[in-house]
Amino acid sequence: MSVLVIAEHLNGQLAGSTLATLGAAKQLGGDITVLVAGKDVAEVGQQAANVAGVSKVLVADDAAYEHPTAEALTPLVVREAEGATHVLAPATTFGKNLLPRVAARLDVQQISDITGIVSEDTFVRPIYAGNALATVQSSDSVKVITVRGTAFERAEAEGGSADVANVDAAEVPSNVRFVDQQLTVSERPELTSARIIISGGRGMQNGDNFKLLEDVADKLGAAVGASRAAVDAGFVPNDYQVGQTGKIVAPDLYIAVGISGAIQHLAGMEGSKVIVAINKDEEAPIFEVADYGLVADLFEAVPELSQELEKVL
Amino acid sequence: MKILVAVKRVVDYNVRIRVKADQTGVETANVKMSMNPFDEIALEEAVRIKEAGKADEVVVVSIGPSQAQETIRTGLAMGGDRGILVEADPDLEPLTVAKLLKAVVEKESPDLLILGKQAIDDDSNQTGQMLGELLGWPQGTFASKVELGDSEVSVTREIDGGAETLALNMPAVITTDLRLNEPRYAKLPNIMKAKKKPLDTLTPGDLGVDTAHRLKVVKVEEPPKRKGGAKVGSVQELVEKLRNEAKVI
């Protein structure tokens, strides 16, 4: 077996999603090769080489990959996947955008967002917003897979000493052009890797009230998330959204404030270790999954929570 | 300019699904079905482009059982001009769907293809990208804004850290995110008119596509149930429990 992992990286850092994907690759066994494509990514290549369990790192350092599109990366990935039995990428917007193009070119049926590995050809993945788990067996010669980051233990970032080799860029299509990027700036941990998340829903009433959550988040070192209702109402930007169509998270602690608990939201956070719900409606479905529920007005309970945390932390 | 929109008939998003006792799949008999929500957004976007005078025709395509005709009629009531049904199994894999759509695209030669970013039943998020690759067209996935130029389309995409904008040469594939627009409701007169709009039916055989599955579903089961825990009486008690019982803070 020979596994090719497509690395996701941001600002010169190997992404946490890549470490989780490498965790899945280690479960598969076999030789693990990591492909790092970008501009000025020698350092990222070195980080990948340091990850425990990686046997080889391929670095495609080229201006053409500065803002890599799926169209540009596909020929490179397909070329480097020659001989691999498995091609893995994280099930982030990066991996979801890229890998189906790779699968189509290789003429294989991709397996999306796996949460479990049964054997080298059999995988578990959630369907219907996480309300069912499908175990599927692939008959394709190459298994092309995206990996749900929260479902696998991350590989150790240190302890490896893989060989690093530079590879040339592949053909780059001219039918797509990067224009610009608008990234959300935040001091807080990134949602999908945060240990604690506090999320607000429609019950927050407006964007200013999210300050109440930020105050608690600052004390806990937590990330701030939101339900789709809060995003649609314009309280917070889109990339805060947790759920079937937003981000899938599984922190140690998830605090849902003013969130009713629609199926689509639960799909994004039900894997959390401990769930807390603060809601004034005691019939809200969120209480059916919450380990600790507090029926209270959030505008009183959240400031009080902040004060209590002040005392004990 | 012609726009082709692909729509899928799925279990309605509000339905609490049930896994079949024999673990072969999810119960879909006698369950409310409707158009995949992301596809409604795709269709709305196409109709808006047409209403802005930038497209002449919107073709609605669905691949599925004969009941998918209803989904196409819904699309025609929302403003689609005509429909194409490729009558096939309801559970085709995304690669097969992409190949069937490619064959339809080759017959129809649209300038723009719009699909939902994912179907809420299989949650694959693959078809648009696969179709882009099979056709050699560029893709604007997870679109939250689409602006049509003369030979280019500018697509703002939702990405994990925020948003990014790409310019795609046409013809191109776009997949829609929820933020792209608010789909309209079809009004009764439009539903009546939609019944008279043309709807062609094809089969995978007509299109020369093999529909054999690459993935075998070994089993489908319910996820482990979370047991709802206790309610606490006060914020103080909550903090105490999180600290001493759950040990997460």
Side-chain angles (χ1 to χ4, degrees):
Chain A
M1 280 213 306
S2 162
V3 185
L4 178 70
V5 171
I6 319 303
E8 178 173 18
H9 54 89
L10 194 69
N11 305 324
Q13 290 292 318
L14 199 63
S17 59
T18 305
L19 291 174
T21 306
L22 285 166
K26 283 172 80 169
Q27 253 189 53
L28 273 170
D31 282 341
I32 300 173
T33 302
V34 180
L35 174 63
V36 178
K39 182 174 173 264
D40 302 327
V41 287
E43 172 59 24
V44 181
Q46 195 50 54
Q47 288 169 22
N50 291 343
V51 176
V54 173
S55 26
K56 195 171 182 192
V57 177
L58 304 173
V59 177
D61 202 328
D62 197 290
Y65 301 133
E66 184 173 6
H67 292 286
T69 59
E71 293 83 341
L73 289 180
T74 299
L76 173 72
V77 173
V78 168
R79 188 186 76 198
E80 299 305 334
E82 175 89 49
T85 55
H86 295 74
V87 178
L88 269 55
T92 54
T93 49
F94 166 80
K96 289 173 179 175
N97 187 46
L98 168 65
L99 224 55
R101 276 194 94 105
V102 172
R105 187 167 301 196
L106 294 171
D107 193 32
V108 306
Q109 176 51 52
Q110 177 184 305
I111 308 161
S112 292
D113 213 11
I114 63 161
T115 55
I117 296 171
V118 179
S119 70
E120 61 184 81
D121 66 359
T122 307
F123 308 90
V124 181
R125 57 177 305 264
I127 54 174
Y128 288 89
N131 288 298
L133 295 176
T135 302
V136 294
Q137 185 175 23
S138 168
S139 59
D140 282 316
S141 55
V142 189
K143 278 66 174 167
V144 175
I145 297 166
T146 60
V147 175
R148 181 173 293 197
T150 54
F152 292 89
E153 192 110 5
R154 291 183 178 190
E156 296 286 337
E158 301 295 330
S161 56
D163 292 333
V164 181
N166 288 309
V167 297
D168 292 334
E171 45 168 316
V172 173
S174 57
N175 55 8
V176 55
R177 183 164 54 83
F178 172 85
V179 179
D180 65 6
Q181 215 170 43
Q182 307 86 39
L183 298 180
T184 307
V185 183
S186 172
E187 300 279 297
R188 297 202 178 77
E190 199 255 323
L191 259 179
T192 53
S193 59
R195 205 180 62 78
I196 302 179
I197 295 172
I198 181 162
S199 278
R202 201 194 302 273
M204 297 305 296
Q205 294 181 2
N206 61 49
D208 288 342
N209 288 335
F210 267 74
K211 287 206 183 72
L212 299 173
L213 304 188
E214 287 166 10
D215 195 34
V216 174
D218 288 341
K219 296 202 165 72
L220 290 168
V224 178
S227 69
R228 185 182 162 198
V231 171
D232 281 352
F235 300 171
V236 288
N238 300 333
D239 53 319
Y240 277 53
Q241 190 190 320
V242 172
Q244 185 181 20
T245 59
K247 289 177 181 154
I248 311 286
V249 300
D252 289 348
L253 173 61
Y254 188 87
I255 308 175
V257 181
I259 292 176
S260 64
I263 300 171
Q264 292 79 8
H265 186 73
L266 299 182
M269 45 66 84
E270 237 176 337
S272 306
K273 280 205 188 85
V274 175
I275 298 174
V276 168
I278 301 176
N279 203 302
K280 64 182 175 191
D281 174 13
E282 62 179 310
E283 303 291 321
I286 190 81
F287 286 119
E288 289 166 28
V289 300
D291 299 280
Y292 301 104
L294 178 65
V295 180
D297 183 342
L298 72 94
F299 294 103
E300 288 166 21
V302 176
E304 205 185 326
L305 176 61
S306 185
Q307 284 167 20
E308 282 298 317
L309 290 171
E310 182 87 7
K311 281 188 217 161
V312 300
L313 295 178
Chain B
M1 194 187 79
K2 188 197 275 192
I3 305 177
L4 196 135
V5 179
V7 300
K8 184 176 184 184
R9 176 179 184 264
V10 297
V11 171
D12 188 86
Y13 73 100
N14 277 314
V15 171
R16 226 337 148 184
I17 59 110
R18 287 216 325 271
V19 172
K20 288 183 189 166
D22 63 3
Q23 298 198 324
T24 55
V26 164
E27 196 58 70
T28 53
N30 302 316
V31 171
K32 188 185 177 206
M33 307 291 280
S34 33
M35 189 188 292
N36 182 44
F38 291 100
D39 305 346
E40 288 185 345
I41 294 167
L43 194 48
E44 175 67 32
E45 195 65 19
V47 172
R48 286 187 192 189
I49 292 171
K50 188 184 166 192
E51 286 171 347
K54 292 176 177 166
D56 316 304
E57 191 182 30
V58 175
V59 181
V60 184
V61 184
S62 192
I63 298 169
S66 58
Q67 296 96 316
Q69 276 191 33
E70 295 159 25
T71 313
I72 295 175
R73 292 284 173 207
T74 305
L76 299 179
M78 284 174 69
D81 294 296
R82 62 189 170 87
I84 299 172
L85 170 66
V86 180
E87 204 167 332
D89 285 348
D91 60 347
L92 293 184
E93 292 170 349
L95 182 64
T96 310
V97 171
K99 286 177 180 176
L100 289 166
L101 288 173
K102 178 185 182 226
V104 173
V105 166
E106 281 164 355
K107 285 167 88 92
E108 292 284 335
S109 319
D111 302 280
L112 203 56
L113 267 167
I114 314 182
L115 296 84
K117 78 164 178 182
Q118 77 190 63
I120 59 163
D121 50 2
D122 69 8
D123 283 334
S124 288
N125 195 333
Q126 297 176 7
T127 307
Q129 295 90 313
M130 287 180 155
L131 188 51
E133 182 62 29
L134 295 177
L135 290 163
W137 293 7
Q139 68 188 35
T141 53
F142 327 146
S144 58
K145 192 173 169 196
V146 173
E147 280 178 304
L148 224 55
D150 291 335
S151 60
E152 268 190 356
V153 55
S154 155
V155 178
T156 301
R157 312 175 50 234
E158 307 244 325
I159 57 171
D160 286 331
E164 92 176 359
T165 305
L166 300 178
L168 315 176
N169 289 4
M170 289 199 278
V173 184
I174 292 169
T175 75
T176 60
D177 217 313
L178 282 171
R179 248 74 55 176
L180 183 58
N181 61 46
E182 185 82 31
R184 70 193 66 190
Y185 287 103
K187 296 195 186 82
L188 188 61
N190 293 343
I191 295 171
M192 301 311 287
K193 272 185 229 157
K195 290 184 178 168
K196 299 203 180 87
K197 291 184 180 176
L199 197 166
D200 292 332
T201 302
L202 299 168
T203 66
D206 297 337
L207 298 169
V209 175
D210 173 16
T211 58
H213 283 219
R214 308 289 189 84
L215 300 181
K216 181 178 138 206
V217 177
V218 179
K219 63 178 172 182
V220 174
E221 54 197 334
E222 288 202 22
K225 275 268 174 289
R226 271 196 95 94
K227 46 172 176 39
K231 293 224 168 92
V232 293
S234 69
V235 171
Q236 238 173 342
E237 190 187 338
L238 175 64
V239 170
E240 192 272 322
K241 291 220 152 132
L242 289 178
R243 207 166 163 76
N244 300 321
E245 194 175 277
K247 300 192 192 312
V248 283
I249 59 171

